[in-house]
Amino acid sequence: MPERPGVLVLMGSGETAPTMVEVHRSVVGRFGRGPRALLLDTPYAFQENAADISARARRYFADSVGVKVEVASGSGALIEADWVFSGPGSPTYALDHWRGTEVGAALKARVGSRSGATVLASAAACTVGVAAVPVYEIYKVGAQPHWRDGVDILSSLGLPVVVIPHYDNTEGGTHDTRFCYLGERRLSQMERELPDEVAVLGIDEHTAVEIDLRAETVMVRGRGALTVRRQGAQTEFPTGSTLALAELRELAKGVSGFVPAAPVAQAPEEESSSATLAESVQRCESRFDAAAASGDAGALSEAVLELEGEITRWAADTEEDEGGVDQARAVLRHLVARLGGLADLSSPHDRLAPLVEPLVALRGRLRKEGAYDTADAVRDALAEGGVLVEDTPQGPRWILRS
């Protein structure tokens, strides 16, 4: 029996969004057909809509990735599963149920044994370091900045670090929400509380850090970067960057002199799927505006249909707190309303046809009857109104003067 691949994937966000489809497919593809796949629902299990989140995640992995996923809460099947995924929710709730428990031990064993695929994103990714950010308590409840003890899965790889997803978040607009909603001021304060040997690994949104546990290589995929930060100094690895796990260890420990290699280009399919929903909405709005300005009815409809397709693609995204799909639907309704208002713009030719075509037909009958002067008068009258009549071998046709 062939040896089972070993891979750990940490995602900054977008774990059930179109941006991460190619990453999931490539990891699942390491196992051939039908890997035993589990969704660990702990981080969001306390939410009233937990069943809906699980259903949407299962549908995403079935439809977009091609893998059937079962939901699990305990440790029983974690070791035997080929592929285990956990993502959105509360880091604190996950820590309360993983740290010092059989589930946490099973997750550590999967990575420590270099066996199977373990994909941890967003809230779940927060827990894998020496310490974890209790983001809800700090950002939404107002607790003083502090760390919680983490599950510390990465120490088995020689990485005494804390992991901060949503590293490049910009939701705050006028206030700093980078670094998983901490902002620079609070992260700097919290960094001073870390032991000297502990670094920060920041993972941007819609970005994955894929660690091949057997080859000991690290690759950054998606649309953002991996950042290694020590006491405010940062080294950034943009998407496409590859490095040895040993190099990442040295950098995390503060060993100087390491220069990141140039990133490799993304595959075209992966690059094309890297746009966020917000960017897709903006693109469709711009296409609609351009079509309205030029009077292109077909392009107006295409822009609306493209936006509807993007909303469908993103419907399985489980990161509900961003409200992206609801905002996109609001834009779609607005564009449909505008489309109705622009109906008169869509085809001037069609609007004038009931008036013009009977006159063109009248001119044709006059010509057949030899009344050329009257036929020419009809033609000249149409021309004064902006309608040009041309005689062709297939019969007369009319166009609107520009």
Side-chain angles (χ1 to χ4, degrees):
M1 184 175 180
E3 192 174 43
R4 189 167 62 173
V7 60
L8 171 65
V9 181
L10 303 175
M11 293 181 172
S13 80
E15 56 269 20
T16 52
T19 50
M20 291 289 99
V21 166
E22 292 306 318
V23 177
H24 287 304
R25 286 177 179 171
S26 68
V27 173
V28 169
R30 294 174 179 236
F31 297 90
R33 292 187 175 183
R36 293 166 293 180
L38 292 180
L39 164 63
L40 190 57
D41 67 353
T42 311
Y44 62 83
F46 67 96
Q47 296 181 204
E48 291 296 322
N49 65 339
D52 177 61
I53 295 175
S54 293
R56 283 190 287 138
R58 293 184 67 195
R59 186 164 60 249
Y60 169 86
F61 288 114
D63 296 345
S64 299
V65 184
V67 62
K68 182 179 179 181
V69 178
E70 299 300 326
V71 179
S73 297
S75 61
L78 288 182
I79 295 296
E80 296 301 321
D82 294 315
W83 180 94
V84 172
F85 167 82
S86 191
S90 165
T92 305
Y93 188 84
L95 286 170
D96 289 342
H97 290 77
W98 288 350
R99 182 171 167 77
T101 69
E102 291 182 356
V103 174
L107 289 171
K108 293 175 74 171
R110 289 180 62 84
V111 176
S113 64
R114 272 63 168 176
S115 180
T118 306
V119 182
L120 303 174
S122 299
C126 263
T127 70
V128 302
V130 174
V133 177
V135 58
Y136 285 99
E137 290 78 359
I138 297 173
Y139 183 61
K140 294 189 175 182
V141 182
Q144 288 298 310
H146 65 285
W147 298 101
R148 282 283 305 269
D149 289 338
V151 180
D152 199 13
I153 293 173
L154 295 181
S155 284
S156 64
L157 303 181
L159 291 171
V161 297
V162 297
V163 172
I164 299 184
H166 297 277
Y167 198 72
D168 63 341
N169 181 273
T170 58
E171 284 181 50
T174 57
H175 66 282
D176 189 2
T177 53
R178 293 172 298 163
F179 320 134
C180 202
Y181 309 98
L182 291 176
E184 177 64 40
R185 180 184 63 83
R186 286 182 292 206
L187 178 57
S188 297
Q189 176 183 338
M190 292 172 66
E191 274 185 308
R192 292 193 289 270
E193 300 172 6
L194 291 173
D196 291 340
E197 69 274 12
V198 176
V200 170
L201 294 188
I203 305 175
D204 286 350
E205 296 182 330
H206 301 282
T207 303
V209 177
E210 185 176 316
I211 304 174
D212 188 313
L213 300 173
R214 298 193 184 279
E216 293 215 335
T217 57
V218 181
M219 184 172 185
V220 183
R221 304 181 63 179
R223 56 175 289 113
L226 164 68
T227 300
V228 182
R229 172 170 168 146
R230 289 184 60 86
Q231 300 172 351
Q234 298 189 154
T235 302
E236 185 176 290
F237 298 87
T239 184
S241 298
T242 58
L243 65 157
L245 183 57
E247 294 171 328
L248 183 58
R249 290 190 193 108
E250 289 186 355
L251 195 60
K253 292 175 182 176
V255 176
S256 60
F258 174 63
V259 178
V264 298
Q266 292 188 79
E269 186 175 4
E270 183 169 336
E271 186 175 6
S272 66
S273 66
S274 65
T276 64
L277 178 58
E279 290 169 341
S280 297
V281 170
Q282 186 177 29
R283 182 183 69 246
C284 292
E285 282 190 284
S286 297
R287 287 188 59 191
F288 188 97
D289 290 340
S294 64
D296 189 336
L300 283 168
S301 299
E302 289 174 4
V304 172
L305 292 174
E306 181 183 348
L307 178 55
E308 189 278 333
E310 288 296 322
I311 292 172
T312 300
R313 286 207 312 140
W314 283 82
D317 188 10
T318 54
E319 293 199 311
E320 297 178 304
D321 53 344
E322 295 184 15
V325 173
D326 288 341
Q327 293 172 14
R329 288 195 181 106
V331 172
L332 178 63
R333 289 192 292 270
H334 175 65
L335 294 188
V336 170
R338 286 183 62 193
L339 186 61
L342 291 168
D344 288 342
L345 159 69
S346 60
S347 180
H349 188 283
D350 290 345
R351 292 202 319 275
L352 291 174
L355 295 174
V356 173
E357 289 182 355
L359 294 174
V360 173
L362 172 62
R363 174 180 174 269
R365 289 195 299 272
L366 291 169
R367 285 171 60 83
K368 286 182 180 180
E369 295 168 0
Y372 293 107
D373 290 340
T374 305
D376 289 342
V378 172
R379 183 195 62 196
D380 293 339
L382 287 169
E384 288 179 9
V387 178
L388 303 181
V389 179
E390 298 178 350
D391 294 310
T392 73
Q394 290 76 35
R397 70 182 183 93
W398 63 275
I399 59 174
L400 295 177
R401 182 187 301 145
S402 299

